[in-house]
mmCIF file with all atom_site columns, all heavy atoms in Angstrom:
data_model
loop_
_atom_site.group_PDB
_atom_site.id
_atom_site.type_symbol
_atom_site.label_atom_id
_atom_site.label_alt_id
_atom_site.label_comp_id
_atom_site.label_asym_id
_atom_site.label_entity_id
_atom_site.label_seq_id
_atom_site.pdbx_PDB_ins_code
_atom_site.Cartn_x
_atom_site.Cartn_y
_atom_site.Cartn_z
_atom_site.occupancy
_atom_site.B_iso_or_equiv
_atom_site.pdbx_formal_charge
_atom_site.auth_seq_id
_atom_site.auth_comp_id
_atom_site.auth_asym_id
_atom_site.auth_atom_id
_atom_site.pdbx_PDB_model_num
ATOM 1   N N   . PRO A 1 59 ? 11.298 -3.159 20.195 1.00 88.00 ? 59 PRO A N   1
ATOM 2   C CA  . PRO A 1 59 ? 10.794 -1.856 20.628 1.00 88.00 ? 59 PRO A CA  1
ATOM 3   C C   . PRO A 1 59 ? 11.231 -1.429 22.020 1.00 88.00 ? 59 PRO A C   1
ATOM 4   O O   . PRO A 1 59 ? 11.177 -0.247 22.336 1.00 88.00 ? 59 PRO A O   1
ATOM 5   C CB  . PRO A 1 59 ? 9.274  -2.030 20.575 1.00 88.00 ? 59 PRO A CB  1
ATOM 6   C CG  . PRO A 1 59 ? 9.051  -3.495 20.696 1.00 88.00 ? 59 PRO A CG  1
ATOM 7   C CD  . PRO A 1 59 ? 10.245 -4.146 20.049 1.00 88.00 ? 59 PRO A CD  1
ATOM 8   N N   . GLY A 1 60 ? 11.704 -2.332 22.824 1.00 87.00 ? 60 GLY A N   1
ATOM 9   C CA  . GLY A 1 60 ? 12.158 -1.977 24.163 1.00 87.00 ? 60 GLY A CA  1
ATOM 10  C C   . GLY A 1 60 ? 13.607 -1.522 24.212 1.00 87.00 ? 60 GLY A C   1
ATOM 11  O O   . GLY A 1 60 ? 14.067 -0.992 25.216 1.00 87.00 ? 60 GLY A O   1
ATOM 12  N N   . ASN A 1 61 ? 14.337 -1.729 23.118 1.00 90.00 ? 61 ASN A N   1
ATOM 13  C CA  . ASN A 1 61 ? 15.749 -1.339 23.076 1.00 90.00 ? 61 ASN A CA  1
ATOM 14  C C   . ASN A 1 61 ? 15.890 0.172  22.892 1.00 90.00 ? 61 ASN A C   1
ATOM 15  O O   . ASN A 1 61 ? 15.030 0.812  22.303 1.00 90.00 ? 61 ASN A O   1
ATOM 16  C CB  . ASN A 1 61 ? 16.478 -2.045 21.930 1.00 90.00 ? 61 ASN A CB  1
ATOM 17  C CG  . ASN A 1 61 ? 16.680 -3.515 22.185 1.00 90.00 ? 61 ASN A CG  1
ATOM 18  O OD1 . ASN A 1 61 ? 16.181 -4.062 23.163 1.00 90.00 ? 61 ASN A OD1 1
ATOM 19  N ND2 . ASN A 1 61 ? 17.396 -4.171 21.293 1.00 90.00 ? 61 ASN A ND2 1
ATOM 20  N N   . SER A 1 62 ? 16.985 0.698  23.360 1.00 91.00 ? 62 SER A N   1
ATOM 21  C CA  . SER A 1 62 ? 17.279 2.118  23.147 1.00 91.00 ? 62 SER A CA  1
ATOM 22  C C   . SER A 1 62 ? 17.640 2.346  21.688 1.00 91.00 ? 62 SER A C   1
ATOM 23  O O   . SER A 1 62 ? 18.217 1.472  21.033 1.00 91.00 ? 62 SER A O   1
ATOM 24  C CB  . SER A 1 62 ? 18.445 2.555  24.032 1.00 91.00 ? 62 SER A CB  1
ATOM 25  O OG  . SER A 1 62 ? 18.102 2.430  25.387 1.00 91.00 ? 62 SER A OG  1
ATOM 26  N N   . THR A 1 63 ? 17.311 3.530  21.206 1.00 89.00 ? 63 THR A N   1
ATOM 27  C CA  . THR A 1 63 ? 17.667 3.921  19.845 1.00 89.00 ? 63 THR A CA  1
ATOM 28  C C   . THR A 1 63 ? 19.059 4.536  19.863 1.00 89.00 ? 63 THR A C   1
ATOM 29  O O   . THR A 1 63 ? 19.329 5.425  20.677 1.00 89.00 ? 63 THR A O   1
ATOM 30  C CB  . THR A 1 63 ? 16.660 4.948  19.302 1.00 89.00 ? 63 THR A CB  1
ATOM 31  O OG1 . THR A 1 63 ? 15.349 4.381  19.360 1.00 89.00 ? 63 THR A OG1 1
ATOM 32  C CG2 . THR A 1 63 ? 16.970 5.332  17.871 1.00 89.00 ? 63 THR A CG2 1
ATOM 33  N N   . THR A 1 64 ? 19.919 4.074  18.972 1.00 91.00 ? 64 THR A N   1
ATOM 34  C CA  . THR A 1 64 ? 21.257 4.657  18.898 1.00 91.00 ? 64 THR A CA  1
ATOM 35  C C   . THR A 1 64 ? 21.188 5.983  18.140 1.00 91.00 ? 64 THR A C   1
ATOM 36  O O   . THR A 1 64 ? 20.225 6.260  17.422 1.00 91.00 ? 64 THR A O   1
ATOM 37  C CB  . THR A 1 64 ? 22.232 3.725  18.155 1.00 91.00 ? 64 THR A CB  1
ATOM 38  O OG1 . THR A 1 64 ? 21.814 3.612  16.788 1.00 91.00 ? 64 THR A OG1 1
ATOM 39  C CG2 . THR A 1 64 ? 22.300 2.347  18.804 1.00 91.00 ? 64 THR A CG2 1
ATOM 40  N N   . ARG A 1 65 ? 22.211 6.788  18.282 1.00 94.00 ? 65 ARG A N   1
ATOM 41  C CA  . ARG A 1 65 ? 22.271 8.047  17.528 1.00 94.00 ? 65 ARG A CA  1
ATOM 42  C C   . ARG A 1 65 ? 22.266 7.764  16.035 1.00 94.00 ? 65 ARG A C   1
ATOM 43  O O   . ARG A 1 65 ? 21.637 8.488  15.265 1.00 94.00 ? 65 ARG A O   1
ATOM 44  C CB  . ARG A 1 65 ? 23.499 8.852  17.916 1.00 94.00 ? 65 ARG A CB  1
ATOM 45  C CG  . ARG A 1 65 ? 23.361 9.512  19.273 1.00 94.00 ? 65 ARG A CG  1
ATOM 46  C CD  . ARG A 1 65 ? 24.568 10.342 19.579 1.00 94.00 ? 65 ARG A CD  1
ATOM 47  N NE  . ARG A 1 65 ? 25.670 9.440  19.902 1.00 94.00 ? 65 ARG A NE  1
ATOM 48  C CZ  . ARG A 1 65 ? 26.653 9.702  20.712 1.00 94.00 ? 65 ARG A CZ  1
ATOM 49  N NH1 . ARG A 1 65 ? 26.727 10.870 21.293 1.00 94.00 ? 65 ARG A NH1 1
ATOM 50  N NH2 . ARG A 1 65 ? 27.590 8.826  20.955 1.00 94.00 ? 65 ARG A NH2 1
ATOM 51  N N   . ALA A 1 66 ? 22.946 6.717  15.624 1.00 93.00 ? 66 ALA A N   1
ATOM 52  C CA  . ALA A 1 66 ? 22.996 6.379  14.198 1.00 93.00 ? 66 ALA A CA  1
ATOM 53  C C   . ALA A 1 66 ? 21.612 6.009  13.669 1.00 93.00 ? 66 ALA A C   1
ATOM 54  O O   . ALA A 1 66 ? 21.212 6.457  12.592 1.00 93.00 ? 66 ALA A O   1
ATOM 55  C CB  . ALA A 1 66 ? 23.975 5.232  13.965 1.00 93.00 ? 66 ALA A CB  1
ATOM 56  N N   . HIS A 1 67 ? 20.870 5.196  14.438 1.00 89.00 ? 67 HIS A N   1
ATOM 57  C CA  . HIS A 1 67 ? 19.518 4.828  14.009 1.00 89.00 ? 67 HIS A CA  1
ATOM 58  C C   . HIS A 1 67 ? 18.608 6.045  13.987 1.00 89.00 ? 67 HIS A C   1
ATOM 59  O O   . HIS A 1 67 ? 17.805 6.220  13.068 1.00 89.00 ? 67 HIS A O   1
ATOM 60  C CB  . HIS A 1 67 ? 18.928 3.758  14.934 1.00 89.00 ? 67 HIS A CB  1
ATOM 61  C CG  . HIS A 1 67 ? 19.456 2.390  14.683 1.00 89.00 ? 67 HIS A CG  1
ATOM 62  N ND1 . HIS A 1 67 ? 19.956 1.603  15.686 1.00 89.00 ? 67 HIS A ND1 1
ATOM 63  C CD2 . HIS A 1 67 ? 19.583 1.668  13.547 1.00 89.00 ? 67 HIS A CD2 1
ATOM 64  C CE1 . HIS A 1 67 ? 20.357 0.451  15.180 1.00 89.00 ? 67 HIS A CE1 1
ATOM 65  N NE2 . HIS A 1 67 ? 20.154 0.469  13.882 1.00 89.00 ? 67 HIS A NE2 1
ATOM 66  N N   . ALA A 1 68 ? 18.714 6.897  15.000 1.00 92.00 ? 68 ALA A N   1
ATOM 67  C CA  . ALA A 1 68 ? 17.889 8.103  15.055 1.00 92.00 ? 68 ALA A CA  1
ATOM 68  C C   . ALA A 1 68 ? 18.198 9.016  13.869 1.00 92.00 ? 68 ALA A C   1
ATOM 69  O O   . ALA A 1 68 ? 17.276 9.546  13.239 1.00 92.00 ? 68 ALA A O   1
ATOM 70  C CB  . ALA A 1 68 ? 18.107 8.838  16.367 1.00 92.00 ? 68 ALA A CB  1
ATOM 71  N N   . ALA A 1 69 ? 19.474 9.190  13.552 1.00 93.00 ? 69 ALA A N   1
ATOM 72  C CA  . ALA A 1 69 ? 19.851 10.034 12.419 1.00 93.00 ? 69 ALA A CA  1
ATOM 73  C C   . ALA A 1 69 ? 19.292 9.480  11.114 1.00 93.00 ? 69 ALA A C   1
ATOM 74  O O   . ALA A 1 69 ? 18.758 10.232 10.285 1.00 93.00 ? 69 ALA A O   1
ATOM 75  C CB  . ALA A 1 69 ? 21.370 10.150 12.334 1.00 93.00 ? 69 ALA A CB  1
ATOM 76  N N   . LYS A 1 70 ? 19.381 8.163  10.927 1.00 91.00 ? 70 LYS A N   1
ATOM 77  C CA  . LYS A 1 70 ? 18.835 7.547  9.713  1.00 91.00 ? 70 LYS A CA  1
ATOM 78  C C   . LYS A 1 70 ? 17.336 7.794  9.626  1.00 91.00 ? 70 LYS A C   1
ATOM 79  O O   . LYS A 1 70 ? 16.815 8.137  8.570  1.00 91.00 ? 70 LYS A O   1
ATOM 80  C CB  . LYS A 1 70 ? 19.112 6.051  9.697  1.00 91.00 ? 70 LYS A CB  1
ATOM 81  C CG  . LYS A 1 70 ? 18.519 5.343  8.478  1.00 91.00 ? 70 LYS A CG  1
ATOM 82  C CD  . LYS A 1 70 ? 18.353 3.855  8.724  1.00 91.00 ? 70 LYS A CD  1
ATOM 83  C CE  . LYS A 1 70 ? 17.752 3.127  7.554  1.00 91.00 ? 70 LYS A CE  1
ATOM 84  N NZ  . LYS A 1 70 ? 16.349 3.391  7.315  1.00 91.00 ? 70 LYS A NZ  1
ATOM 85  N N   . MET A 1 71 ? 16.631 7.618  10.745 1.00 92.00 ? 71 MET A N   1
ATOM 86  C CA  . MET A 1 71 ? 15.178 7.803  10.738 1.00 92.00 ? 71 MET A CA  1
ATOM 87  C C   . MET A 1 71 ? 14.804 9.255  10.450 1.00 92.00 ? 71 MET A C   1
ATOM 88  O O   . MET A 1 71 ? 13.844 9.513  9.713  1.00 92.00 ? 71 MET A O   1
ATOM 89  C CB  . MET A 1 71 ? 14.579 7.362  12.065 1.00 92.00 ? 71 MET A CB  1
ATOM 90  C CG  . MET A 1 71 ? 14.602 5.881  12.274 1.00 92.00 ? 71 MET A CG  1
ATOM 91  S SD  . MET A 1 71 ? 13.958 5.502  13.916 1.00 92.00 ? 71 MET A SD  1
ATOM 92  C CE  . MET A 1 71 ? 13.526 3.809  13.712 1.00 92.00 ? 71 MET A CE  1
ATOM 93  N N   . ILE A 1 72 ? 15.548 10.199 10.993 1.00 92.00 ? 72 ILE A N   1
ATOM 94  C CA  . ILE A 1 72 ? 15.258 11.614 10.734 1.00 92.00 ? 72 ILE A CA  1
ATOM 95  C C   . ILE A 1 72 ? 15.455 11.926 9.258  1.00 92.00 ? 72 ILE A C   1
ATOM 96  O O   . ILE A 1 72 ? 14.620 12.603 8.641  1.00 92.00 ? 72 ILE A O   1
ATOM 97  C CB  . ILE A 1 72 ? 16.139 12.517 11.625 1.00 92.00 ? 72 ILE A CB  1
ATOM 98  C CG1 . ILE A 1 72 ? 15.686 12.379 13.081 1.00 92.00 ? 72 ILE A CG1 1
ATOM 99  C CG2 . ILE A 1 72 ? 16.077 13.969 11.165 1.00 92.00 ? 72 ILE A CG2 1
ATOM 100 C CD1 . ILE A 1 72 ? 16.654 12.960 14.096 1.00 92.00 ? 72 ILE A CD1 1
ATOM 101 N N   . ILE A 1 73 ? 16.516 11.411 8.671  1.00 91.00 ? 73 ILE A N   1
ATOM 102 C CA  . ILE A 1 73 ? 16.756 11.634 7.238  1.00 91.00 ? 73 ILE A CA  1
ATOM 103 C C   . ILE A 1 73 ? 15.650 10.989 6.411  1.00 91.00 ? 73 ILE A C   1
ATOM 104 O O   . ILE A 1 73 ? 15.104 11.607 5.494  1.00 91.00 ? 73 ILE A O   1
ATOM 105 C CB  . ILE A 1 73 ? 18.148 11.104 6.827  1.00 91.00 ? 73 ILE A CB  1
ATOM 106 C CG1 . ILE A 1 73 ? 19.223 11.985 7.450  1.00 91.00 ? 73 ILE A CG1 1
ATOM 107 C CG2 . ILE A 1 73 ? 18.287 11.033 5.312  1.00 91.00 ? 73 ILE A CG2 1
ATOM 108 C CD1 . ILE A 1 73 ? 20.615 11.413 7.392  1.00 91.00 ? 73 ILE A CD1 1
ATOM 109 N N   . GLU A 1 74 ? 15.299 9.749  6.725  1.00 89.00 ? 74 GLU A N   1
ATOM 110 C CA  . GLU A 1 74 ? 14.225 9.069  5.993  1.00 89.00 ? 74 GLU A CA  1
ATOM 111 C C   . GLU A 1 74 ? 12.899 9.808  6.150  1.00 89.00 ? 74 GLU A C   1
ATOM 112 O O   . GLU A 1 74 ? 12.146 9.957  5.193  1.00 89.00 ? 74 GLU A O   1
ATOM 113 C CB  . GLU A 1 74 ? 14.078 7.616  6.475  1.00 89.00 ? 74 GLU A CB  1
ATOM 114 C CG  . GLU A 1 74 ? 15.259 6.730  6.164  1.00 89.00 ? 74 GLU A CG  1
ATOM 115 C CD  . GLU A 1 74 ? 15.465 6.489  4.689  1.00 89.00 ? 74 GLU A CD  1
ATOM 116 O OE1 . GLU A 1 74 ? 14.486 6.520  3.923  1.00 89.00 ? 74 GLU A OE1 1
ATOM 117 O OE2 . GLU A 1 74 ? 16.618 6.271  4.294  1.00 89.00 ? 74 GLU A OE2 1
ATOM 118 N N   . PHE A 1 75 ? 12.615 10.290 7.356  1.00 91.00 ? 75 PHE A N   1
ATOM 119 C CA  . PHE A 1 75 ? 11.385 11.022 7.611  1.00 91.00 ? 75 PHE A CA  1
ATOM 120 C C   . PHE A 1 75 ? 11.326 12.300 6.788  1.00 91.00 ? 75 PHE A C   1
ATOM 121 O O   . PHE A 1 75 ? 10.291 12.666 6.252  1.00 91.00 ? 75 PHE A O   1
ATOM 122 C CB  . PHE A 1 75 ? 11.250 11.332 9.100  1.00 91.00 ? 75 PHE A CB  1
ATOM 123 C CG  . PHE A 1 75 ? 9.901  11.880 9.499  1.00 91.00 ? 75 PHE A CG  1
ATOM 124 C CD1 . PHE A 1 75 ? 8.794  11.057 9.538  1.00 91.00 ? 75 PHE A CD1 1
ATOM 125 C CD2 . PHE A 1 75 ? 9.749  13.202 9.849  1.00 91.00 ? 75 PHE A CD2 1
ATOM 126 C CE1 . PHE A 1 75 ? 7.542  11.546 9.919  1.00 91.00 ? 75 PHE A CE1 1
ATOM 127 C CE2 . PHE A 1 75 ? 8.516  13.704 10.224 1.00 91.00 ? 75 PHE A CE2 1
ATOM 128 C CZ  . PHE A 1 75 ? 7.410  12.873 10.260 1.00 91.00 ? 75 PHE A CZ  1
#
Side-chain angles (χ1 to χ4, degrees):
N61 289 6
S62 297
T63 303
T64 65
R65 285 183 286 210
H67 283 129
K70 178 201 179 289
M71 289 177 160
I72 291 167
I73 291 167
E74 294 294 332
F75 190 73

